[in-house]
Amino acid sequence: MISRGGTSSRSSRPLNHVARLAAAAGLSALFAGCQALSGLSTSGGIKESAFRPSETPVTVDSVSRNDRLAELARAQHPRILATYGGEYSDPKLERMVAKVVGSLTTVSGNPGQTYRITILNSPNVNAFALPGGYLYITRGLLALANDSAELAAVVAHEMGHVTANHGLQRQQKEAEEVIATRVVTDVLGNNQNANVALLRGKLRMAQFSRNQELEADAIGIRTSGQAGFDPYAAGRFLQSMSAYTDFRSVSGATDASLDFLASHPNAPQRIDLAQRHARQIGAAGQGSRDRDSFLAGIDGLLYGDTPEEGFVRGNTFLHPRLGVSFSVPPGFVIDNSAAAVTATGPGDLAVRFDGVALASRTKLPDYIRSGWVAGLDPSSVRAVTINGNEAATARAAADGWKFDITVVRAGGQVYRLLTAAPLGSDRLDAVAQTVGGSFKILSAREKASLKPLRVRVVTVKPGQTVGSIAATMVGVDRKLELFRVLNALAPGASVSAGDKVKIITDS
């Protein structure tokens, strides 16, 4: 059964300490993997006919009733939805995913298990499973995959964690590490030998997790091959994820903790091992890719941010629901993450944007002085006007950083633009003025013109090239690189008339 539902909007989070901006300057692009969530999985499968769209959220039925781990998974479900933007509803897409998962469950070790698949409304690339048959796949992962075999490889990998009972093993190991840490901290104090032993234990835990991933890869490739899918798809998708990692690293996207790759073996090793496992099943060219069915399923898939979260268009952030926008200087990269809108730029400069509820009678200079800004210079507080909106600015310094604080009242809401720079930087003034001065209220026409981006599948026409097709994409930067990543095209690879490819557009 595939669950369906709405989306969740981001709530504003007051910033209790302006020095937290310092963290934004050091945001990394490391990728998270199956995460500990996948380790809670339990195995199983059911005939494809049991998968059908539902108008109700996922529940645990009699199949998993009185199952302690399944009850734990049910309790985690709302948290997962909140973390990953809620459920993504698209019956056409759900049917395609159900078909793939149904094929896998027919060859699983427990045909009596019911699976409930939730497509998460998140642009991050991830998939994981929980006890009781809970499977989660993000729309970001679906956008990156290129055929049903690649999707099958990912889902079968998660089922591999289930088959190998990694959940209980990981829980036991994590419990042992918690106890060891407590002993060292509370009893042995700073004993050097004890700390070395603890460190070795943590390294064993990391290796244990990597070994689990490799084992799940092997099981997943075998399962997808038995289900009739191309067993080499796992290696292809691992290569796509590696390319996606590189793309994200350069672009500066920072919400990578929600993505698929972390605590995993390095990509070259996994790809090589995946190819070896595939060769044990058969020669290349065997098995179904089912590309046309997959592409038909993802055509129209939402890509990137939702209207509830606002849109990033180049160096500008626009929020159609709030009706506001601001821009950052060239060379900065905006990250519209679950926690806040942040931007990072050259020289360790960073910007954070959020909103707070504030009584209309409260003057903005008084609000800045109210104690939420650490290291505030009271003499710097100024009442100003920004593009016709009441505003106030100030300066602060703390923990090796200096800050510009700009607050603006617009449409009954107060917004904060916080810019941070190292104490030795001479760019704070220029960046803060650019960011603060760009804040504006969107007109009705501007709001109406903002549309979410979607994945569209198009057929290559005679005379078209990789470059000319990539140039037709809208709303994204580095179009040629992104086009190659989305379509698994290596540098120098070309397209031919009649090929089906994915592009990103707002139509």
Side-chain angles (χ1 to χ4, degrees):
M1 180 172 64
I2 292 184
S3 67
R4 295 173 56 190
T7 62
S8 65
S9 61
R10 174 181 299 121
S11 60
S12 298
R13 292 172 171 80
L15 191 66
N16 296 323
H17 194 302
V18 72
R20 293 180 186 174
L21 265 174
L27 295 174
S28 66
L30 297 175
F31 282 67
C34 297
Q35 304 173 332
L37 295 174
S38 63
L40 295 175
S41 305
T42 182
S43 61
I46 194 170
K47 300 295 184 182
E48 179 181 341
S49 60
F51 293 84
R52 62 184 185 277
S54 171
E55 298 295 337
T56 60
V58 170
T59 60
V60 176
D61 58 17
S62 58
V63 174
S64 57
R65 186 172 294 131
N66 299 323
D67 184 326
R68 183 180 62 82
L69 290 178
E71 292 295 327
L72 177 63
R74 181 170 64 180
Q76 293 298 314
H77 182 69
R79 181 178 68 84
I80 292 172
L81 295 184
T83 301
Y84 285 90
E87 302 173 34
Y88 184 76
S89 176
D90 181 344
K92 173 173 65 71
L93 181 68
E94 293 165 359
R95 286 192 293 271
M96 183 274 289
V97 173
K99 179 182 176 182
V100 172
V101 177
S103 298
L104 293 172
T105 58
T106 61
V107 296
S108 69
N110 183 7
Q113 173 68 55
T114 298
Y115 278 91
R116 296 156 180 80
I117 306 97
T118 300
I119 300 174
L120 295 168
N121 190 18
S122 169
N124 296 88
V125 176
N126 211 344
F128 46 89
L130 294 182
Y134 288 79
L135 292 178
Y136 298 90
I137 303 169
T138 63
R139 59 176 170 83
L141 185 145
L142 294 170
L144 184 62
N146 275 282
D147 55 44
S148 296
E150 291 184 3
L151 174 59
V154 173
V155 175
H157 170 94
E158 298 307 329
M159 290 181 171
H161 282 301
V162 171
T163 303
N165 202 27
H166 288 159
L168 290 177
Q169 296 175 16
R170 190 171 297 181
Q171 281 185 323
Q172 291 167 356
K173 286 291 182 179
E174 288 174 348
E176 292 172 5
E177 292 304 317
V178 169
I179 294 173
T181 300
R182 187 172 303 150
V183 169
V184 170
T185 302
D186 298 341
V187 180
L188 302 179
N190 293 322
N191 182 285
Q192 186 64 31
N193 292 333
N195 283 313
V196 169
L198 178 60
L199 176 60
R200 288 175 178 169
K202 291 184 180 299
L203 290 174
R204 285 196 300 271
M205 179 65 189
Q207 185 63 47
F208 181 82
S209 178
R210 286 193 293 270
N211 289 339
Q212 284 186 336
E213 298 305 330
L214 293 177
E215 185 178 5
D217 280 348
I219 296 172
I221 291 169
R222 183 170 62 250
T223 300
S224 61
Q226 291 173 346
F229 291 106
D230 175 14
Y232 292 84
R236 291 199 306 274
F237 192 65
L238 285 170
Q239 186 63 58
S240 290
M241 286 195 294
S242 178
Y244 174 74
T245 302
D246 294 340
F247 180 84
R248 293 256 305 200
S249 178
V250 173
S251 70
T254 60
D255 201 14
S257 64
L258 301 179
D259 284 301
F260 193 85
L261 297 175
S263 301
H264 285 65
N266 61 71
Q269 179 189 9
R270 287 189 78 188
I271 294 170
D272 179 64
L273 290 175
Q275 298 287 7
R276 293 184 190 181
H277 292 311
R279 283 194 291 270
Q280 293 177 2
I281 296 175
Q286 297 184 7
S288 170
R289 292 192 179 187
D290 196 20
R291 177 173 165 82
D292 288 344
S293 175
F294 178 84
L295 292 180
I298 67 168
D299 189 28
L301 176 69
L302 187 67
Y303 182 84
D305 300 320
T306 68
E308 291 80 10
E309 297 169 327
F311 302 131
V312 176
R313 298 291 185 267
N315 68 332
T316 300
F317 174 78
L318 310 100
H319 202 301
R321 301 291 175 86
L322 299 177
V324 299
S325 74
F326 72 91
S327 300
V328 294
F332 277 68
V333 176
I334 301 175
D335 178 42
N336 188 14
S337 71
V341 181
T342 59
T344 55
D348 287 340
L349 273 83
V351 176
R352 174 177 172 133
F353 169 80
D354 65 8
V356 294
L358 191 64
S360 59
R361 64 178 179 274
T362 302
K363 298 297 183 182
L364 295 183
D366 293 337
Y367 169 63
I368 291 179
R369 298 187 188 99
S370 64
W372 61 277
V373 179
L376 176 67
D377 176 5
S379 66
S380 69
V381 180
R382 298 283 187 275
V384 298
T385 300
I386 296 178
N387 293 323
N389 301 297
E390 176 191 353
T393 63
R395 290 300 173 91
D399 299 331
W401 294 82
K402 54 185 177 180
F403 306 93
D404 177 274
I405 302 98
T406 298
V407 294
V408 187
R409 179 172 274 129
Q413 176 77 16
V414 171
Y415 300 97
R416 302 187 295 191
L417 287 160
L418 308 175
T419 306
L423 283 177
S425 174
D426 60 357
R427 298 191 58 210
L428 179 62
D429 289 346
V431 172
Q433 289 174 10
T434 296
V435 174
S438 70
F439 181 91
K440 70 172 187 175
I441 297 178
L442 298 173
S443 68
R445 183 176 181 178
E446 288 173 320
K447 288 190 289 185
S449 68
L450 288 174
K451 299 177 182 179
L453 300 179
R454 297 189 181 276
V455 175
R456 292 295 181 187
V457 178
V458 299
T459 301
V460 178
K461 300 176 182 178
Q464 286 187 311
T465 65
V466 168
S468 65
I469 299 175
T472 66
M473 300 203 301
V474 300
V476 295
D477 294 326
R478 299 165 57 209
K479 297 179 181 181
L480 181 58
E481 294 174 69
L482 179 59
F483 179 80
R484 289 190 178 278
V485 169
L486 290 176
N487 291 282
L489 295 174
S494 60
V495 293
S496 302
D499 290 347
K500 291 183 179 180
V501 294
K502 296 178 289 184
I503 64 170
I504 304 302
T505 180
D506 60 0
S507 61

